[in-house]
């Protein structure tokens, strides 16, 4: 018989297949296992390398002619904003200010004679000329520096300035140039200072004693007296009017007894009139340029005149010329007598004012100090002080007995054209082109009042000559104003 067949029990076959196999997949099927256990890890066959394609050349993009790189940048119009324009203007102004400061620094003229000589030596000029004085040497250096600047050699001045700073012994020179500086005076000036001191001290003592008596006297009422004087001033009326000259008048002055009035004009002719008849007494001819001011002497009938011909002249009231004062380097502005009548002060556009001896015609003092032209000069009622004002917007008070600068009155913003002392001795008034009249206290050296007196520049100011209860100002607005002063201390 055939051998018996034994049928083995059916066994399960396990098959692992990748889901959704692609037709090209090569995944082999797993064999059934006798004893199923953990499946072996899947074996990934190596993949075929990707084909390498050649690089693709860039496709050129045509550029429109309007955006061509060859377009010139200068042809493109840029719109500048207001902020950028304002910033550029500020930058230009800052550059200009810096250049002006450098120019002013280079144009500064030394005040010490040794420094002036050193500057002349570095500029290749002779350090002194025959008969040349210190002030003349300094004026020659200033003229030289102005000429070099006009010739376009400003850099040369800067180099000289830098060489002076780096020169040995510069510290010693700087110590010598410290302000205030003093210039050796003549024996005539020394004697004049002594004479002024002897004249002013008794007058100052009498003025102070009188003020003390008035303060101690209970019957004295300064307020009531001031009101009376001001009321009288309010009654001023036009007494008469007279044509003084064919050209504009520049100044007028009463004689000490008010019996005569002198006028000056642009024609260079001065006239003396009798008061109050207004009859012409004399005609004074001698100036070659316009006359700028006239002043009567406080002690006699002599009068002094100033002119644009750089001279001042002393006349008799009958028209005869007594003396001529020559020495200024530029035209004169104002002239004033010292209360003693022995000395004459002149203000000039050469940035100085000078003191002259009436009897000899000698120049006693050449006073510098203003940075621009000096326009006016006035003397204290005691004769101890002198005040000068100028186009630098400052007024300066000088002690004639010692030659020192007492104080500088700073407050105006435009040129100061007039200055005057009060009879009380401690007030001084200034008139300016800024339309203001300012009153200063000499004791505190401070400004007391600022008066907007006119609508145009104020040409002159003067106090009432007895007690100084009010002052009068003249202006280019065709008016004269009277201002009351309420200060009796």
């Amino acid at each position: 018989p055939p051998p018996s067949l034994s049928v083995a029990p059916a066994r399960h076959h396990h098959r692992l297949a990748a889901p959704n196999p692609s037709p090209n997949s090569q995944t082999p099927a797993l064999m059934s296992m006798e004893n199923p256990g953990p499946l072996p890890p899947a074996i990934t066959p190596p993949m075929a390398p990707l084909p390498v394609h050649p690089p693709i050349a860039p496709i050129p993009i045509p550029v429109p002619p309007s955006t061509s790189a060859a377009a010139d940048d200068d042809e493109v119009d840029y719109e500048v904003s207001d902020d950028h324009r304002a910033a550029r203007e500020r930058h230009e102004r800052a550059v200009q200010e810096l250049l002006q400061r450098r120019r002013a620094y280079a144009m500064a003229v030394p005040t010490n004679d040794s420094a002036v000589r050193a500057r002349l030596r570095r500029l290749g000029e002779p350090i002194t000329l025959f008969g040349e004085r210190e002030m003349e040497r300094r004026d020659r250096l200033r003229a030289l520096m102005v000429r070099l600047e006009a010739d376009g050699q400003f850099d040369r001045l800067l180099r000289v300035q830098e060489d002076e700073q780096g020169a040995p012994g510069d510290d010693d020179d700087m110590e010598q140039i410290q302000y205030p500086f003093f210039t050796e005076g003549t024996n005539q000036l020394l004697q004049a200072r002594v004479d002024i001191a002897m004249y002013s001290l008794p007058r100052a003592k009498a003025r102070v004693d009188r003020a003390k008596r008035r303060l101690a006297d209970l019957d004295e009422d300064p307020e009531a007296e001031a009101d009376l004087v001001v009321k009288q001033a309010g009654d001023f009326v036009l007494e008469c009017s007279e044509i003084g000259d064919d050209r504009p008048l520049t100044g007028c002055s009463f004689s000490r007894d008010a019996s005569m009035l002198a006028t000056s004009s642009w024609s260079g002719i001065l006239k003396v009139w009798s008061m109050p008849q207004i009859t012409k007494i004399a005609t004074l001819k001698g100036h070659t340029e316009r006359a700028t001011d006239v002043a009567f002497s406080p002690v006699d009938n002599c009068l002094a005149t100033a002119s644009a011909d750089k001279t001042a002249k002393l006349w008799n009231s009958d028209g005869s010329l007594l003396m001529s004062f020559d020495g200024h380097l530029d035209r004169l502005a104002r002239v004033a007598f010292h209360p003693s009548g022995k000395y004459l002060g002149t203000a000039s556009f050469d940035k100085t004012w000078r003191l002259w001896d009436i009897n000899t015609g000698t120049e006693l003092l050449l006073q510098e100090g203003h940075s621009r032209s000096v326009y006016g000069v006035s003397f204290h009622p005691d004769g101890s002080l002198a005040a000068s004002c100028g186009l630098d917007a400052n007024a300066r008070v000088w002690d004639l007995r010692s030659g020192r600068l007492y104080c500088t009155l700073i407050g105006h913003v435009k040129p100061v054209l007039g200055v005057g002392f009060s009879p009380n001795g401690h007030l001084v008034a200034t008139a300016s082109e800024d339309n203001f009249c300012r009153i200063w206290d000499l004791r505190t050296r401070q400004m007391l009042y600022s008066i907007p007196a006119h609508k145009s520049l104020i040409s002159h100011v003067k106090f009432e000559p007895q007690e100084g209860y009010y002052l009068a100002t003249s202006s280019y607005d065709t008016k004269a104003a009277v201002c009351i002063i309420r200060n009796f201390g």
Side-chain angles (χ1 to χ4, degrees), residues 238-486:
L238 180 62
E239 181 73 17
C240 60
S241 181
E242 180 71 19
I243 298 177
D245 197 88
D246 296 337
R247 302 295 303 279
L249 301 183
T250 57
C252 63
S253 176
F254 281 100
S255 62
R256 58 192 176 108
D257 57 359
S259 62
M260 292 181 290
L261 175 70
T263 58
S264 59
S265 73
W266 278 8
S267 64
I269 300 175
L270 301 105
K271 298 178 182 180
V272 181
W273 311 80
S274 64
M275 299 298 292
Q277 297 83 8
I278 314 297
T279 304
K280 185 169 65 174
I281 300 175
T283 301
L284 287 62
K285 296 182 179 180
H287 290 292
T288 58
E289 293 286 345
R290 63 185 182 274
T292 56
D293 197 18
V294 60
F296 263 104
S297 171
V299 296
D300 53 30
N301 289 331
C302 295
L303 64 153
T305 59
S307 172
D309 61 7
K310 308 177 186 180
T311 65
K313 297 183 183 298
L314 183 67
W315 309 78
N316 205 341
S317 58
D318 59 3
S320 58
L321 179 63
L322 301 178
M323 192 173 300
S324 180
F325 305 95
D326 304 328
H328 280 288
L329 304 178
D330 206 338
R331 66 183 187 270
L332 273 63
R334 294 273 169 80
V335 63
F337 275 96
H338 188 267
S340 65
K342 298 180 180 180
Y343 310 103
L344 179 70
T346 55
S348 171
F349 276 70
D350 62 4
K351 303 179 183 180
T352 68
W353 69 270
R354 309 194 185 200
L355 187 68
W356 308 83
D357 190 328
I358 294 296
N359 299 321
T360 63
T362 305
E363 177 189 308
L364 300 175
L365 175 64
L366 186 155
Q367 184 63 65
E368 292 183 312
H370 289 271
S371 60
R372 297 186 64 185
S373 303
V374 183
Y375 199 83
V377 61
S378 178
F379 292 98
H380 192 276
D382 300 340
S384 57
L385 302 176
S388 60
C389 61
L391 304 189
D392 56 359
N394 294 331
R396 298 175 182 270
V397 181
W398 311 85
D399 190 342
L400 294 176
R401 299 163 297 184
S402 63
R404 293 178 179 269
L405 175 65
Y406 177 71
C407 65
T408 302
L409 307 178
I410 302 175
H412 289 286
V413 296
K414 287 187 177 181
V416 182
L417 305 180
V419 60
F421 287 95
S422 171
N424 62 19
H426 58 265
L427 295 182
V428 61
T430 54
S432 172
E433 196 174 313
D434 59 8
N435 306 351
F436 276 83
C437 174
R438 301 181 189 269
I439 301 177
W440 313 78
D441 193 333
L442 293 177
R443 298 167 297 184
T444 61
R445 310 183 189 188
Q446 299 294 327
M447 182 178 62
L448 292 179
Y449 307 108
S450 182
I451 308 172
H454 293 275
K455 297 180 181 180
S456 185
L457 67 86
I458 305 176
S459 58
H460 214 341
V461 58
K462 286 191 176 182
F463 278 92
E464 178 264 322
Q466 298 300 324
E467 299 293 339
Y469 287 140
Y470 63 86
L471 57 82
T473 58
S474 59
S475 171
Y476 274 27
D477 62 2
T478 71
K479 296 179 181 179
V482 176
C483 304
I484 306 171
I485 306 300
R486 293 293 185 180

Side-chain angles (χ1 to χ4, degrees), residues 108-120 127 133-135 137-139 141 164 169-170 172-183 368:
V109 182
T111 56
N112 184 270
D113 187 58
S114 60
V116 171
R117 292 171 180 263
R119 176 81 57 93
L120 288 171
I127 62 174
R133 297 185 301 175
E134 289 81 358
M135 298 309 302
R137 188 178 302 110
R138 188 165 180 259
D139 293 337
L141 174 60
E164 290 180 354
D170 183 68
D172 297 337
D173 293 342
M174 290 301 293
E175 292 179 359
Q176 296 178 2
I177 307 176
Q178 291 293 331
Y179 287 92
F181 69 96
F182 298 92
T183 303
E368 292 183 312

